[in-house]
Amino acid sequence: QVQLVESGGGLVQAGGSLRLSCEASGHTFSSSTMGWFRQAPGKEREFVAAISASGAYTSYADSVKGRFSISRDNAKNTLYLQMNSLKPEDTAVYYCAVGTRAWGGVAVQRTPGVYHYWGQGTQVTVSS
């Protein structure tokens, strides 16, 4: 069974930074595309960022481009999301997810339905 454990969420002031981590077990981490999604109260889960198995390719939602950075350490089976210049609208529960072996296109990677394993989520709250 694949298990994903997120950490690093919390309360931060606008303009601050957080780094989220997601440690994976139960599968070959290095063979899978990985993604970050978020869900705010009353809204649908939305794509944040994705990274290919090797780390060669990345993709970001327009709302976070230039502020967030996704990375991975395959030796540690860990995915990261560095979040800088945080805004109140970034407030949400953030989820780590396992995608496909192949990278595919942006339209595929931004779709929650192609991710079949999810972490429990970690709350990020940005105060104004």
Side-chain angles (χ1 to χ4, degrees):
Q1 184 179 52
V2 174
Q3 293 187 354
L4 304 171
V5 180
E6 296 112 330
S7 62
L11 176 64
V12 65
Q13 291 183 318
S17 299
L18 285 173
R19 189 177 77 158
L20 306 183
S21 298
C22 171
E23 185 172 0
S25 63
H27 75 114
T28 305
F29 178 82
S30 62
S31 69
S32 302
T33 297
M34 300 291 294
W36 287 101
F37 289 76
R38 66 187 183 187
Q39 188 166 25
K43 296 184 178 180
E44 295 183 348
R45 191 167 298 185
E46 67 173 350
F47 170 77
V48 176
I51 186 168
S52 63
S54 70
Y57 305 109
T58 59
S59 182
Y60 298 91
D62 289 343
S63 59
V64 306
K65 194 171 298 182
R67 299 187 298 120
F68 291 10
S69 179
I70 188 171
S71 62
R72 64 194 298 161
D73 187 337
N74 286 346
K76 297 181 179 180
N77 287 355
T78 303
L79 176 74
Y80 303 98
L81 184 68
Q82 179 66 46
M83 305 185 294
N84 299 324
S85 301
L86 284 162
K87 305 174 181 179
E89 50 262 47
D90 294 318
T91 295
V93 177
Y94 283 71
Y95 298 91
C96 171
V98 178
T100 60
R101 291 178 62 90
W103 170 243
V106 173
V108 173
Q109 299 301 330
R110 71 185 301 273
T111 303
V114 307
Y115 294 82
H116 297 292
Y117 300 98
W118 299 81
Q120 82 288 347
T122 185
Q123 177 71 47
V124 172
T125 303
V126 184
S127 62
S128 60

